[in-house]
Amino acid sequence: VVYEDPWRAGGHNGLSNTENPLGPEDPYPRVLALRQAMRGFGLDDTPIIMAGGVWWLEEWEDWIDNPELGPVAFQFGTRPLLTTESPIPEAWKQRLRTLRQGDVYLNRFSPTGFYSSAVNNSFLQELQARSERQVAFSAEPVGTHVVPYGVGARKREVFLAAEDLEHAQNWEAQGFTEAMRTPDSTLIFVTPDRAREILADQADCMGCLSECRFSNWSQRGPSYSNGHKADPRSFCIQKTLQDVAHASGPDQDAVMDNNLMFGGTNAWRFSTDPFYSNGFVPTVGQLVERICTGR
């Protein structure tokens, strides 16, 4: 049984709605509760694999040969990224060396609807800024939403609160002139180039992810729609993962900065672990040997 720590593992994480994304919990009592539940089903000797946040095994000494936990193993997902056999682009490997603590964080922009752990680069910063330039609107004048505002080329009328109209006008003055509707009856404000990119990505949807937030495609007939508007606050995950995984040539650094880079929250330790000093990149065999020392 794999226990993937929802705060420390890289990529998409199974953080529930009852858990605080900003408040990591100690994995030990959670894994102990898992073992106790497993023992209720006679699974005393089934190994539990700890995944997420594992860097040095010596930091997990109290887990190993612990009769309370039973048999355990450990999964390494981030450290093998920086090996000679790793297929990720060279620019990705070099970027890992520059990370500092806090540079990998949980975000909820993914079209899956799940939290994911990724490098805080220009890609994520643009998504964050996109969501911050957001106001609620109403199709009809109601409550404080009584100020008319025209959306799109046809200037179709919606209604904003007076203070939100001021925000919208300020964003427009900064060049964010395109208002895009979200499924939550809000408008986000982006540049014309960004709006064209978002619409093009949505039009090019390959249907890779049923119930995708960024498109309204669903694998379920007869309409093959999830019944929601496509959400411009998200992104095409197929496009960005292809781009970041296959970057080559002189623009690799720019590709790394402007696409989704998954990583465990411990990825910053590449810059502090002496094993990687002086630009050393181990083979997978050398990494395994190092791990077996406890470091």
Side-chain angles (χ1 to χ4, degrees):
V1 175
V2 177
Y3 171 79
E4 182 186 74
D5 191 295
W7 293 276
R8 297 170 178 84
H12 289 106
N13 296 349
L15 201 70
S16 77
N17 291 331
T18 63
E19 294 164 325
N20 179 2
L22 302 179
E25 296 181 18
D26 181 358
Y28 188 94
R30 294 166 65 92
V31 172
L32 177 58
L34 171 60
R35 173 61 72 193
Q36 291 168 342
M38 291 170 63
R39 284 179 174 140
F41 294 96
L43 301 177
D44 303 59
D45 298 323
T46 299
I48 294 175
I49 301 173
M50 174 64 203
V54 182
W55 193 268
W56 291 339
L57 286 179
E58 69 176 18
E59 296 171 337
W60 301 83
E61 283 184 302
D62 59 333
W63 287 51
I64 300 170
D65 296 326
N66 184 329
E68 189 175 48
L69 289 182
V72 294
F74 299 90
Q75 177 174 309
F76 291 82
T78 296
R79 287 189 75 173
L81 289 174
L82 192 55
T83 56
T84 57
E85 295 94 334
S86 171
I88 65 174
E90 185 62 28
W92 192 336
K93 295 180 183 182
Q94 293 306 316
R95 183 64 183 271
L96 290 171
R97 295 182 174 282
T98 69
L99 299 179
R100 298 292 181 263
Q101 191 167 7
D103 281 351
V104 178
Y105 79 105
L106 285 172
N107 69 87
R108 207 172 189 179
F109 299 116
S110 171
T112 64
F114 292 108
Y115 282 94
S116 71
S117 178
V119 174
N120 182 20
N121 58 7
S122 293
F123 180 80
L124 284 189
Q125 291 162 16
E126 192 277 328
L127 286 166
Q128 179 68 43
R130 194 187 300 179
S131 286
E132 290 174 352
R133 294 189 300 271
Q134 184 171 194
V135 296
F137 74 88
S138 174
E140 302 290 340
V142 59
T144 60
H145 292 77
V146 294
V147 181
Y149 181 79
V151 177
R154 298 183 183 180
K155 298 300 179 184
R156 292 180 174 172
E157 192 172 74
V158 298
F159 296 88
L160 308 180
E163 63 269 24
D164 287 337
L165 177 64
E166 184 177 346
H167 292 316
Q169 291 170 335
N170 286 335
W171 294 325
E172 289 174 341
Q174 296 171 40
F176 303 105
T177 56
E178 296 297 313
M180 305 187 75
R181 300 173 191 246
T182 79
D184 299 323
S185 296
T186 64
L187 300 173
I188 63 166
F189 289 78
V190 296
T191 64
D193 285 346
R194 184 67 67 186
R196 283 190 288 270
E197 179 186 15
I198 291 170
L199 293 174
D201 288 347
Q202 290 172 337
D204 291 342
C205 176
M206 298 173 61
C208 69
L209 180 66
S210 187
E211 311 299 330
C212 177
R213 291 172 56 195
F214 188 65
S215 76
N216 61 2
W217 178 80
S218 171
Q219 66 184 9
R220 300 179 180 86
S223 67
Y224 296 97
S225 169
N226 60 23
H228 302 290
K229 293 181 183 294
D231 195 336
R233 295 168 296 187
S234 190
F235 56 89
C236 176
I237 196 165
Q238 187 273 148
K239 174 189 173 184
T240 191
L241 291 182
Q242 289 289 337
D243 287 350
V244 78
H246 300 289
S248 61
D251 62 344
Q252 279 192 51
D253 289 337
V255 173
M256 292 302 115
D257 196 43
N258 291 285
N259 283 283
L260 182 67
M261 292 180 63
F262 281 143
T265 54
N266 263 346
W268 63 273
R269 295 181 69 170
F270 283 119
S271 65
T272 60
D273 189 330
F275 183 58
Y276 302 96
S277 61
N278 299 316
F280 177 63
V281 178
T283 64
V284 170
Q286 289 171 321
L287 175 61
V288 172
E289 290 175 0
R290 177 69 172 186
I291 288 172
C292 289
T293 69
R295 302 296 290 269

